Amino acid sequence: MTTGQPGTGNARPTPDDQGARPAGTTGTTTDTATAATPVDGPEPTSTTKSALMDDPTKDASAKDATAKDARAKDATATEATAEGDPAQGDTATDKATRDSAADNPAPKDAAAKDPAAKDPASGSDAAEDGDPAKAEGGADRWDKWASTPEPVPSRLTRAVRAVGRSLIHEWTLASLGALALAVLMTWPTLRYPRYTLPQDYWDPSLQSWQMAWSGHILLADPARLWQSNTFFPELWSFAFSDTLLGYAPAGMLGSGPEDAVLRYNIMFVLAHALATLGAYALARQLGSGRIGAAVAGVAYAYAPWLLAQAGHLHVLSNGGIPLALAMLARGHGWSLRYGYRPERRHDGWVYAGWLVAAWQLSLGFGIGLPFAYFLAGAVLVAAVLFLVRRLRTGQALPFGRRLLVADVLGGVFFAGVGLLLAYPYFKVTELHPYAERTIGDISIFSPPASGFVTAPAESRIWGGLHEGARAALPWHPEMTLLPGFVLYALAAGGLFFSVWRLRHRLLLLAGVLVAMVLAMGTRFFDGTFTYLPLFEHAPGWNALRTPGRLMLWATLLLALLAAGAVTALTDRVRDLAAQRIPSWPGPWLRLATLLPLLLVTVEGLNTTPHPVVPTQPAALRSAQGPLLVLPSNQSLDQHVMLWSTSGFPDVVNGGSGFTPRQLDDVRRVSQSFPDQTSVDYLRTLGVRTVVLLRGQVPGTPWEITIDAPVESLGIMRQDVGDAVVYRL
């Protein structure tokens, strides 16, 4: 057999060859072996073999021949030469062998015996040329270079990781941040929490007793809840004012006046934290960013006008309002920014929202009653909108039976709680008709328009500057209604630059104006078309004495407007920082977005006093009831209520939003105590003990009679500490 002519492999490689060629090879190969190799001749030299293996050309006939019999290399070469392509006989053979091996990998032991498994001339393994089957050791050869599989974590490890993830979750950080901020913003409330009270020690003493009584009686005798130990022998006396009944679980812990004061201070701080967290949650649910929601939370909880309410825990306990609204909006899949998204509905959040709303109502009707009317209005508006859409388009938005059931059951539960709580108040007005508010009472506490820009004396920033403006107000503790100048500015900016849609901004503005008009009571055109219709026709509305507290709703809506503006600002800053090259101003720009949060926080700083609570007289630690403590008046009786938390004996004393006529009679008759008339009258009421406090008698009729003999009256007299105890 004669040799063929030498060929030059300048043809462009096929895609298959390109994919199989090892890295570093060129696209042109020249055959150097021109002599024909006999069929039974020796194997090609390593140089020739390497060149042939690198040849990018393929012969389709060689592939076909190989496909018929890939087991005999020499026979394949002979067939390839006989086909008339002597220049590619060996090359086609080698390439066909590689293709066949790729399709049918040989066992490892066969690959190890094949002398062509490795080419010493090229220094490369066959596996590198596209033949992993010929690699020595197969896949096991590379096992030592593989990454070590991650060990399966134990239960403890998984639990620790879960706790770690929960600790850095947004809502965990928001809760902890709200709590830490509450401690700082209400300081020094927790400095001496067993001995001081914020603002004053009058109403806080009353509310400390309320929490203590509800917790005590629910454990001892729940049927006596509304028949408290004060105002003896009046009925339904626990309903003489807002009850803070929702804090009863806290009242089950501890006993005595010091624990009652400690409990009050803790709940005072927690109320601020919940208000911050609730407004934050509502803003986030409506579509605000984190910084915008934080601004809303701080502005809502620490508005300057609320500093004048530091002695009214039932007013400060308003965090359930935005929190319930956030839960209800979440359950219905609705937000201001994204609208109604049916796929986000979840009836569990709806149930939770109605439960929180009912709990908020249990803290007092002063704040809870307007909230109940707001919820009723929101339900009505939502139902009308769904009906209108159905009439316009012929199809209603998807709502779902489960969500409908949750709303029905939740609404019924909320209404049921409201009626149960309202029943004792109806009984009180039935027994004491004179306790009902009149339009004259409302006029006394109705603030003028100037109150919306006047800060209370407790404001660290504006208190001193607004002293003259406060002097012009008839009753400045309930008429200084400034929500914050920073909040005003941010809300005004939110009307023009916001993530909320224009119609939503206008609705929020309308809500702010309506709330302010109602907060003015009879000051806005005598309330003829605003407050008076509610006072005369809305059930329970005539029990609200101070219209200015409706500023709470204006503050919440202003905070949402501000959140929209701050969110738009932070989004814009983030886009600018991402577009800048280099991006070095980015961190400074993002830091600047915290300025609104800093400003609303600073404007909420306070100078609230924390007076020391009067110490419980030793005589009251073991006095047997029913008893009367003299002197008796609205302010001193609130201390007596707090002191009565040691055992809760029945006491005639009491302080509330109104004074029962019988208590008025007791105070009038006892002016001459001890004498026969007063002793007989007190015995008729069932009073067995009278405690006369020496420290309070200067300037009173008892200053003369406190040491008078009582043997002729048939009563016993005993000095106990700084008090005189008379046993009737």
Side-chain angles (χ1 to χ4, degrees), residues 320 323-325 327-328 348-358 371 375 414:
L323 184 60
L325 294 178
M327 289 178 170
L328 290 173
W349 284 109
V350 175
Y351 285 115
W354 285 112
L355 287 174
V356 173
F371 179 44
L375 285 178
F414 176 79

Side-chain angles (χ1 to χ4, degrees), residues 158-535:
R158 292 197 299 270
V160 171
R161 291 179 180 177
V163 171
R165 287 192 298 270
S166 65
L167 289 178
I168 61 174
H169 195 275
E170 176 187 355
W171 294 109
T172 303
L173 296 177
S175 301
L176 294 177
L179 183 59
L181 184 64
V183 173
L184 294 176
M185 295 293 285
T186 60
W187 191 260
T189 298
L190 295 183
R191 186 176 184 180
Y192 304 109
R194 299 174 69 89
Y195 309 106
T196 63
L197 285 170
Q199 188 76 1
D200 56 56
Y201 43 54
W202 310 120
D203 283 352
S205 294
L206 162 64
Q207 294 172 334
S208 299
W209 166 82
Q210 288 175 329
M211 285 189 284
W213 167 256
S214 60
H216 159 76
I217 201 62
L218 288 178
L219 291 176
D221 186 6
R224 274 196 60 201
L225 172 64
W226 299 101
Q227 319 301 332
S228 76
N229 70 309
T230 59
F231 294 100
F232 178 85
E234 296 285 354
L235 300 176
W236 307 99
S237 55
F238 193 48
F240 285 0
S241 57
D242 276 338
T243 63
L244 293 174
L245 185 59
Y247 289 154
M252 298 177 182
L253 305 175
S255 62
E258 289 188 359
D259 286 346
V261 172
L262 173 64
R263 184 186 303 114
Y264 180 93
N265 285 321
I266 292 176
M267 301 312 297
F268 179 81
V269 174
L270 292 180
H272 285 82
L274 182 61
T276 306
L277 182 63
Y280 177 90
L282 179 59
R284 287 289 283 154
Q285 171 58 33
L286 296 182
S288 170
R290 291 183 177 87
I291 298 178
V295 169
V298 174
Y300 175 73
Y302 302 101
W305 75 273
L306 285 171
L307 297 177
Q309 304 292 331
H312 301 140
L313 185 57
H314 62 292
V315 177
L316 299 177
S317 299
N318 53 56
I321 294 176
L323 184 60
L325 294 178
M327 289 178 170
L328 290 173
R330 172 66 180 86
H332 289 84
W334 184 82
S335 68
L336 277 180
R337 192 172 185 178
Y338 307 108
Y340 179 58
R341 292 180 287 179
E343 68 279 2
R344 290 180 172 264
R345 293 170 296 170
H346 196 292
D347 58 319
W349 284 109
V350 175
Y351 285 115
W354 285 112
L355 287 174
V356 173
W359 173 78
Q360 175 66 54
L361 191 61
S362 71
L363 294 176
F365 282 105
I367 296 299
L369 186 64
F371 179 44
Y373 277 104
F374 177 85
L375 285 178
V379 170
L380 181 61
V381 169
V384 169
L385 291 178
F386 267 76
L387 181 61
V388 169
R389 179 182 177 87
R390 185 180 186 88
L391 295 176
R392 287 175 51 192
T393 64
Q395 58 181 2
L397 288 172
F399 195 78
R401 181 177 302 176
R402 294 180 59 180
L403 205 60
L404 179 61
V405 171
D407 278 325
V408 171
L409 294 180
V412 169
F413 176 78
F414 176 79
V417 170
L419 290 176
L420 287 175
L421 293 174
Y423 179 77
Y425 292 92
F426 288 128
K427 296 296 293 184
V428 169
T429 56
E430 180 182 335
L431 295 173
H432 309 278
Y434 51 88
E436 293 188 27
R437 312 294 183 189
T438 65
I439 197 63
D441 298 329
I442 304 302
S443 299
I444 294 175
F445 295 100
S446 296
S450 61
F452 297 124
V453 291
T454 306
E458 293 82 3
S459 173
R460 184 176 294 274
I461 303 299
W462 307 115
L465 298 175
H466 291 184
E467 185 175 358
R470 286 194 302 275
L473 298 175
W475 184 253
H476 67 81
E478 296 288 352
M479 295 182 180
T480 49
L481 302 178
L482 174 68
F485 290 113
V486 175
L487 182 59
Y488 275 145
L490 292 175
L495 294 174
F496 305 97
F497 180 69
S498 177
V499 294
W500 312 137
R501 299 176 184 177
L502 178 60
R503 66 174 182 272
H504 294 152
R505 287 178 251 165
L506 295 178
L507 286 174
L508 290 173
L509 176 61
V512 170
L513 296 178
V514 169
M516 286 184 168
V517 167
L518 292 178
M520 294 178 66
T522 59
R523 292 275 186 158
F524 188 82
F525 297 102
D526 297 327
T528 304
F529 303 104
T530 56
Y531 199 88
L532 285 183
L534 292 174
F535 182 85

Side-chain angles (χ1 to χ4, degrees), residues 49-69:
K49 183 175 180 179
S50 176
L52 293 176
M53 292 178 66
D54 290 335
D55 191 345
T57 61
K58 291 184 179 181
D59 186 35
S61 60
K63 285 187 176 182
D64 294 337
T66 305
K68 296 178 181 178
D69 190 3

Side-chain angles (χ1 to χ4, degrees), residues 102-128:
D103 295 335
N104 302 287
K108 288 193 291 185
D109 55 347
K113 295 179 181 179
D114 191 351
K118 187 172 184 179
D119 188 353
S122 62
S124 62
D125 292 347
E128 296 181 15

Side-chain angles (χ1 to χ4, degrees), residues 629-651:
V629 179
L630 296 175
S632 174
N633 56 54
Q634 172 72 15
S635 299
L636 291 177
D637 280 6
Q638 291 175 330
H639 295 324
V640 175
M641 299 172 80
L642 174 61
W643 295 334
S644 73
T645 55
S646 293
F648 294 96
D650 289 333
V651 296

Side-chain angles (χ1 to χ4, degrees), residues 670 672-676 678-679 692 702 705-706 708-710 713 715 726:
S670 61
S672 60
F673 184 87
D675 65 349
Q676 194 64 51
S678 60
V679 170
L692 186 57
W702 299 286
T705 61
I706 190 171
V710 295
L713 299 176
I715 61 177
Y726 300 89

